[in-house]
Amino acid sequence: NAGVMQNPRHLVRRRGQEARLRCSPMKGHSHVYWYRQLPEEGLKFMVYLQKENIIDESGMPKERFSAEFPKEGPSILRIQQVVRGDSAAYFCASSPPGRGFYGYTFGSGTRLTVV
Amino acid sequence: DAKTTQPPSMDCAEGRAANLPCNHSTISGNEYVYWYRQIHSQGPQYIIHGLKNNETNEMASLIITEDRKSSTLILPHATLRDTAVYYCIVNTGKLIFGQGTTLQVKP
């Protein structure tokens, strides 16, 4: 019974490159949430997706960031033209259909370092 | 913005109960209170949640006041491994994390 799987665990990118972070939700979970945690700070909500739909992207930066959750395959958080300030831990969570009654299950995160 | 207020830090002696308070005075009638914790830089770990009744599981107990404006998470016998940041969250359709309480369990 695998939990939420995120990969890669660590990602190093040079400034200006693209970063792709993947999240496979728990089996039976159709809702995915992305959070960002800057060093020494709390978790910030970024985006909430269901299969093929973005439900709430109120926490997403207006530029360079995008997210998708296709019908097949993992959810992808994409950061274009990365800058040093994008260095952070990115966590994905998933929940069953509904309003998250059972809470979210979080993955172990992807640590992005921009050099 | 988070709908909860928590003390920034607390200490607890190993083996004693840790009582972590949380204020959520603007909570709506159908919104659940969730507790998570984050150990070091790991992914947040679910602890417990409740609506208006007190709840208990193998990890902790959750006491919610009758007016639902505050709650307390109780770790009955804290261990050193319980040292973490504890987040109290009102589920408004998405989980918004505040600053949490850093609990330091001391030998």
Side-chain angles (χ1 to χ4, degrees):
Chain A
N1 187 15
V4 177
M5 304 301 292
Q6 289 190 249
N7 63 80
R9 292 293 301 273
H10 299 276
L11 182 63
V12 179
R13 285 287 178 265
R14 296 184 185 280
R15 282 179 292 173
Q17 291 185 319
E18 178 180 287
R20 280 182 174 245
L21 288 64
R22 289 178 291 278
C23 169
S24 296
M26 284 186 69
K27 187 176 182 180
H29 287 194
S30 57
H31 298 195
V32 165
Y33 312 82
W34 285 94
Y35 289 79
R36 177 167 67 173
Q37 186 169 36
L38 296 169
E40 307 302 324
E41 294 191 14
L43 290 99
K44 299 298 183 186
F45 168 81
M46 299 181 74
V47 63
Y48 163 30
L49 309 106
Q50 296 177 18
K51 287 282 188 180
E52 301 183 283
N53 283 305
I54 296 175
I55 306 301
D56 183 341
E57 57 181 348
S58 57
M60 286 281 271
K62 299 299 182 199
E63 298 178 349
R64 303 186 298 108
F65 284 72
S66 62
E68 62 176 8
F69 188 17
K71 186 176 181 180
E72 301 292 337
S75 176
I76 305 290
L77 179 66
R78 182 183 178 204
I79 311 172
Q80 295 178 290
Q81 300 176 323
V82 296
V83 300
R84 288 247 172 92
D86 297 332
S87 295
Y90 292 82
F91 293 98
C92 166
S94 71
S95 70
R99 294 196 70 218
F101 177 81
Y102 298 104
Y104 300 5
T105 301
F106 282 82
S108 299
T110 293
R111 273 80 182 164
L112 172 66
T113 302
V114 179
V115 298
Chain B
D1 289 334
K3 295 180 68 171
T4 60
T5 304
Q6 300 177 252
S9 62
M10 292 181 64
D11 289 343
C12 177
E14 188 179 18
R16 304 298 292 269
N19 297 281
L20 291 86
C22 178
N23 287 321
H24 32 78
S25 58
T26 61
I27 194 170
S28 298
N30 61 347
E31 292 175 337
Y32 282 77
V33 178
Y34 283 78
W35 284 82
Y36 280 77
R37 71 181 182 184
Q38 188 176 28
I39 298 173
H40 291 300
S41 302
Q42 299 176 23
Q45 177 188 21
Y46 166 82
I47 301 173
I48 199 167
H49 75 281
L51 182 62
K52 54 184 177 181
N53 297 320
N54 297 338
E55 303 287 344
T56 296
N57 62 21
E58 65 278 5
M59 288 183 68
S61 295
L62 175 60
I63 308 298
I64 302 175
T65 58
E66 193 169 342
D67 63 8
R68 301 210 326 122
K69 294 186 176 184
S70 65
S71 60
T72 300
L73 178 74
I74 302 172
L75 307 178
H77 305 287
T79 71
L80 298 178
R81 288 178 295 180
D82 291 322
T83 291
V85 180
Y86 286 77
Y87 296 98
C88 168
I89 305 165
V90 172
N91 189 350
T92 60
K94 61 191 180 192
L95 298 185
I96 303 298
F97 288 75
Q99 295 304 306
T101 296
T102 299
L103 176 68
Q104 183 73 46
V105 180
K106 299 186 174 181

